[in-house]
Amino acid sequence: MLRRIWQSVMIALARSGRLTGLVQGTSVLASLSRRYVAGGDAAAGMRRARDLAAADGIRASLFFLGEYVEDRGKIAEAVENKLAVAGELAEAGLDIHVSVDPTQIGGSLDDALMDANADAIAARIGVLAGPPGGVHCMMIDMEDHSVVDKTIALHDRLQAAGYPVALTLQAYLRRTEADIARLVERPSRVRLVKGAFVAAGDIAFTSQAEIKANYRRLIDLMFSPAARASGFYPIIATHDDRLHAHARDVARRNGWPEGTYEFEMLMGVRGDVAGALAAAGERVRLYVPFGRDWWPYAIRRIGENPRNALLLARSLVS
Ligand SMILES: Cc1cc2nc3c(=O)[nH]c(=O)nc-3n(C[C@H](O)[C@H](O)[C@H](O)COP(=O)(O)OP(=O)(O)OC[C@H]3O[C@@H](n4cnc5c(N)ncnc54)[C@H](O)[C@@H]3O)c2cc1C
């Protein structure tokens, strides 16, 4: 209950345009942005991606920050950054893995614009030559429940057109089991997260225990023999080590060797766990955000754990 209230307050702060302008215009809370964000530009994101690959063999998904954008200039800037960073990843010989929020490329303003921008990014990734054996794709992030239908339709359209695309689905939503059951029948790539939003009990699981139980059921589905046969690619995106252990256990039992699935975590959260998984031979990726629009992203991360109240307080006085 406490967690739900805390998370709802932080989500409201993330959506406040006035607060975003105020915070991002000052150096207050800069330590918060440093923890969760690689830096203000693509060069900083690329530096982090290269360092991760060189030090621990950890892969990256680069994310130019921005969400729920309604300004056409900012939407164009987001698309330019996604295209540019895809090219830089290809040149560096790294996975061409670019995360995209539909509402940052037009989804909050004009669906035709979102579709055209998504096509452009996915097509660019498709023609760039990434290293063989790499995972090259436009990863579609999932936002609040009001845009889930639209986001899944976007993924399905791009997948049917043969573009390299992947989709994030959220274990807190009751519908996700049916969505995954459909997607495991073909060689889809699905990143499973718990969900950084809250919703009413008729559409969502509202307690952590229920969300974790559903996450375990969804792991079973994603690592099922049928999923293995279709060429499905499971992406376990959580910092919860019990869920990591469950995924590894089911993978072993159902004949999924390392490298046929991956773990993905957020930059700034439990780097020790990411390192340990990589050292154990697992494929690991970090989500590496960059850009100036860091407040909504960082405050959402703070909302994920009431214990982060201390981190927020420390950032205010440092
Ligand atoms: C790669 C990736 C992509 C994501 N994309 C999306 C998306 O598209 N849509 C969406 O709704 N959500 C997304 N999320 C966020 C996700 O939904 C959860 O809100 C978030 O991962 C926290 O849940 P958890 O599974 O890590 O488990 P938790 O139970 O919250 O965390 C497990 C442990 O990890 C640590 N921890 C977790 N989060 C933090 C934090 N922020 N700061 C400090 N410590 C922390 C704590 O020690 C905690 O005990 C993404 C997460 C990842 C890893």
Side-chain angles (χ1 to χ4, degrees), residues 110-194:
D110 169 356
D111 288 351
L113 178 65
M114 173 189 75
D115 282 343
N117 286 335
D119 283 5
I121 298 165
R124 174 72 63 88
I125 294 171
V127 298
L128 287 167
V135 182
H136 312 299
C137 64
M138 179 174 95
M139 168 59 80
I140 305 177
D141 295 340
M142 188 60 82
E143 301 172 272
D144 74 278
H145 66 90
S146 71
V147 298
V148 171
D149 275 332
K150 186 159 89 174
T151 305
I152 293 177
L154 173 66
H155 165 269
D156 290 356
R157 188 180 62 73
L158 293 170
Q159 188 184 48
Y163 288 123
V165 67
L167 178 67
T168 306
L169 291 175
Q170 300 153 320
Y172 87 115
L173 291 180
R174 294 181 186 276
R175 62 173 288 167
T176 297
E177 184 167 352
D179 291 327
I180 292 186
R182 188 176 59 82
L183 287 168
V184 295
E185 289 173 1
R186 42 190 202 253
S188 318
R189 294 164 173 161
V190 172
R191 172 206 269 161
L192 182 63
V193 301
K194 284 184 186 162

Side-chain angles (χ1 to χ4, degrees), residues 188-274:
S188 318
R189 294 164 173 161
V190 172
R191 172 206 269 161
L192 182 63
V193 301
K194 284 184 186 162
F197 299 84
V198 290
D202 54 336
I203 57 168
F205 296 105
T206 55
S207 76
Q208 279 304 303
E210 283 177 313
I211 295 169
K212 284 181 196 187
N214 195 42
Y215 202 118
R216 290 172 80 90
R217 280 195 296 276
L218 298 174
I219 286 176
D220 295 346
L221 206 51
M222 289 168 80
F223 286 94
S224 63
R228 182 89 180 101
S230 77
F232 181 79
Y233 186 74
I235 302 163
I236 303 305
T238 173
H239 312 94
D240 190 323
D241 27 28
R242 290 194 184 166
L243 293 175
H244 293 160
H246 182 64
R248 296 183 78 193
D249 185 41
V250 179
R252 290 302 84 76
R253 269 192 279 126
N254 291 353
W256 294 69
E258 287 96 347
T260 55
Y261 59 94
E262 69 182 48
F263 293 97
E264 189 174 359
M265 299 173 60
L266 302 173
M267 188 196 126
V269 183
R270 306 201 76 182
D272 55 332
V273 176

Side-chain angles (χ1 to χ4, degrees), residues 298-312:
I299 199 66
R300 219 182 277 292
R301 301 289 76 82
I302 293 293
E304 277 158 1
N305 193 338
R307 270 181 278 173
N308 279 341
L310 196 60
L311 181 65
L312 186 60

